mmCIF file of all heavy atoms in Angstrom:
data_model
loop_
_atom_site.group_PDB
_atom_site.id
_atom_site.type_symbol
_atom_site.label_atom_id
_atom_site.label_comp_id
_atom_site.label_asym_id
_atom_site.label_seq_id
_atom_site.Cartn_x
_atom_site.Cartn_y
_atom_site.Cartn_z
ATOM 1 N N ASP A 30 14.681 6.333 0.933
ATOM 2 C CA ASP A 30 14.220 7.425 0.068
ATOM 3 C C ASP A 30 12.945 7.071 -0.705
ATOM 4 O O ASP A 30 12.625 7.701 -1.714
ATOM 5 C CB ASP A 30 15.327 7.829 -0.904
ATOM 6 C CG ASP A 30 15.737 6.695 -1.838
ATOM 7 O OD1 ASP A 30 15.345 5.527 -1.610
ATOM 8 O OD2 ASP A 30 16.458 6.973 -2.815
ATOM 9 N N ALA A 31 12.190 6.103 -0.238
ATOM 10 C CA ALA A 31 10.979 5.655 -0.926
ATOM 11 C C ALA A 31 9.927 6.769 -0.983
ATOM 12 O O ALA A 31 9.952 7.713 -0.185
ATOM 13 C CB ALA A 31 10.402 4.428 -0.228
ATOM 14 N N VAL A 32 9.007 6.621 -1.935
ATOM 15 C CA VAL A 32 7.932 7.591 -2.136
ATOM 16 C C VAL A 32 6.604 6.839 -2.156
ATOM 17 O O VAL A 32 6.487 5.776 -2.762
ATOM 18 C CB VAL A 32 8.119 8.366 -3.458
ATOM 19 C CG1 VAL A 32 6.982 9.348 -3.686
ATOM 20 C CG2 VAL A 32 9.461 9.090 -3.470
ATOM 21 N N PHE A 33 5.595 7.417 -1.489
ATOM 22 C CA PHE A 33 4.252 6.850 -1.469
ATOM 23 C C PHE A 33 3.283 7.824 -2.129
ATOM 24 O O PHE A 33 3.272 9.010 -1.803
ATOM 25 C CB PHE A 33 3.803 6.586 -0.026
ATOM 26 C CG PHE A 33 2.424 6.005 0.074
ATOM 27 C CD1 PHE A 33 2.208 4.663 -0.186
ATOM 28 C CD2 PHE A 33 1.346 6.801 0.414
ATOM 29 C CE1 PHE A 33 0.936 4.119 -0.100
ATOM 30 C CE2 PHE A 33 0.069 6.269 0.502
ATOM 31 C CZ PHE A 33 -0.133 4.924 0.240
ATOM 32 N N HIS A 34 2.458 7.304 -3.049
ATOM 33 C CA HIS A 34 1.442 8.098 -3.741
ATOM 34 C C HIS A 34 0.080 7.589 -3.287
ATOM 35 O O HIS A 34 -0.304 6.462 -3.603
ATOM 36 C CB HIS A 34 1.571 7.945 -5.263
ATOM 37 C CG HIS A 34 2.950 8.204 -5.773
ATOM 38 N ND1 HIS A 34 3.376 9.449 -6.175
ATOM 39 C CD2 HIS A 34 4.006 7.370 -5.923
ATOM 40 C CE1 HIS A 34 4.647 9.359 -6.572
ATOM 41 N NE2 HIS A 34 5.046 8.117 -6.424
ATOM 42 N N SER A 35 -0.619 8.421 -2.556
ATOM 43 C CA SER A 35 -1.911 8.064 -1.980
ATOM 44 C C SER A 35 -3.052 8.435 -2.919
ATOM 45 O O SER A 35 -2.964 9.433 -3.631
ATOM 46 C CB SER A 35 -2.086 8.821 -0.656
ATOM 47 O OG SER A 35 -3.410 8.739 -0.208
ATOM 48 N N PRO A 36 -4.142 7.664 -2.881
ATOM 49 C CA PRO A 36 -5.301 8.056 -3.683
ATOM 50 C C PRO A 36 -6.052 9.254 -3.092
ATOM 51 O O PRO A 36 -6.915 9.821 -3.757
ATOM 52 C CB PRO A 36 -6.186 6.801 -3.661
ATOM 53 C CG PRO A 36 -5.819 6.104 -2.409
ATOM 54 C CD PRO A 36 -4.357 6.402 -2.183
ATOM 55 N N VAL A 37 -5.715 9.643 -1.884
ATOM 56 C CA VAL A 37 -6.465 10.720 -1.217
ATOM 57 C C VAL A 37 -5.606 11.889 -0.749
ATOM 58 O O VAL A 37 -6.137 12.863 -0.229
ATOM 59 C CB VAL A 37 -7.283 10.162 -0.028
ATOM 60 C CG1 VAL A 37 -8.366 9.217 -0.523
ATOM 61 C CG2 VAL A 37 -6.410 9.492 0.995
ATOM 62 N N VAL A 38 -4.294 11.821 -0.928
ATOM 63 C CA VAL A 38 -3.399 12.911 -0.540
ATOM 64 C C VAL A 38 -2.773 13.467 -1.814
ATOM 65 O O VAL A 38 -2.235 12.707 -2.623
ATOM 66 C CB VAL A 38 -2.303 12.432 0.445
ATOM 67 C CG1 VAL A 38 -1.346 13.565 0.774
ATOM 68 C CG2 VAL A 38 -2.932 11.877 1.706
ATOM 69 N N HIS A 39 -2.836 14.784 -1.985
ATOM 70 C CA HIS A 39 -2.413 15.421 -3.233
ATOM 71 C C HIS A 39 -0.927 15.235 -3.543
ATOM 72 O O HIS A 39 -0.557 14.954 -4.679
ATOM 73 C CB HIS A 39 -2.760 16.913 -3.198
ATOM 74 C CG HIS A 39 -2.293 17.673 -4.386
ATOM 75 N ND1 HIS A 39 -2.837 17.491 -5.640
ATOM 76 C CD2 HIS A 39 -1.323 18.600 -4.527
ATOM 77 C CE1 HIS A 39 -2.220 18.278 -6.506
ATOM 78 N NE2 HIS A 39 -1.303 18.973 -5.850
ATOM 79 N N THR A 40 -0.068 15.390 -2.557
ATOM 80 C CA THR A 40 1.371 15.348 -2.812
ATOM 81 C C THR A 40 1.962 13.988 -2.451
ATOM 82 O O THR A 40 1.512 13.334 -1.511
ATOM 83 C CB THR A 40 2.105 16.432 -2.003
ATOM 84 O OG1 THR A 40 1.815 16.234 -0.619
ATOM 85 C CG2 THR A 40 1.664 17.822 -2.416
ATOM 86 N N PRO A 41 2.990 13.565 -3.186
ATOM 87 C CA PRO A 41 3.677 12.323 -2.822
ATOM 88 C C PRO A 41 4.311 12.452 -1.434
ATOM 89 O O PRO A 41 4.802 13.515 -1.059
ATOM 90 C CB PRO A 41 4.762 12.185 -3.896
ATOM 91 C CG PRO A 41 4.304 13.043 -5.027
ATOM 92 C CD PRO A 41 3.528 14.167 -4.402
ATOM 93 N N GLN A 42 4.274 11.374 -0.688
ATOM 94 C CA GLN A 42 4.856 11.337 0.657
ATOM 95 C C GLN A 42 6.240 10.713 0.527
ATOM 96 O O GLN A 42 6.365 9.571 0.077
ATOM 97 C CB GLN A 42 3.967 10.519 1.589
ATOM 98 C CG GLN A 42 2.544 11.045 1.672
ATOM 99 C CD GLN A 42 2.491 12.474 2.174
ATOM 100 O OE1 GLN A 42 2.923 12.772 3.280
ATOM 101 N NE2 GLN A 42 1.968 13.381 1.352
ATOM 102 N N GLN A 43 7.281 11.452 0.919
ATOM 103 C CA GLN A 43 8.657 11.014 0.686
ATOM 104 C C GLN A 43 9.351 10.631 1.978
ATOM 105 O O GLN A 43 9.215 11.301 2.989
ATOM 106 C CB GLN A 43 9.432 12.112 -0.026
ATOM 107 C CG GLN A 43 8.839 12.429 -1.374
ATOM 108 C CD GLN A 43 9.663 13.454 -2.146
ATOM 109 O OE1 GLN A 43 10.620 14.015 -1.645
ATOM 110 N NE2 GLN A 43 9.279 13.683 -3.380
#
Side-chain angles (χ1 to χ4, degrees):
D30 62 348
V32 178
F33 180 78
H34 308 269
S35 167
V37 295
V38 177
H39 176 69
T40 57
Q42 303 300 300
Q43 298 184 354

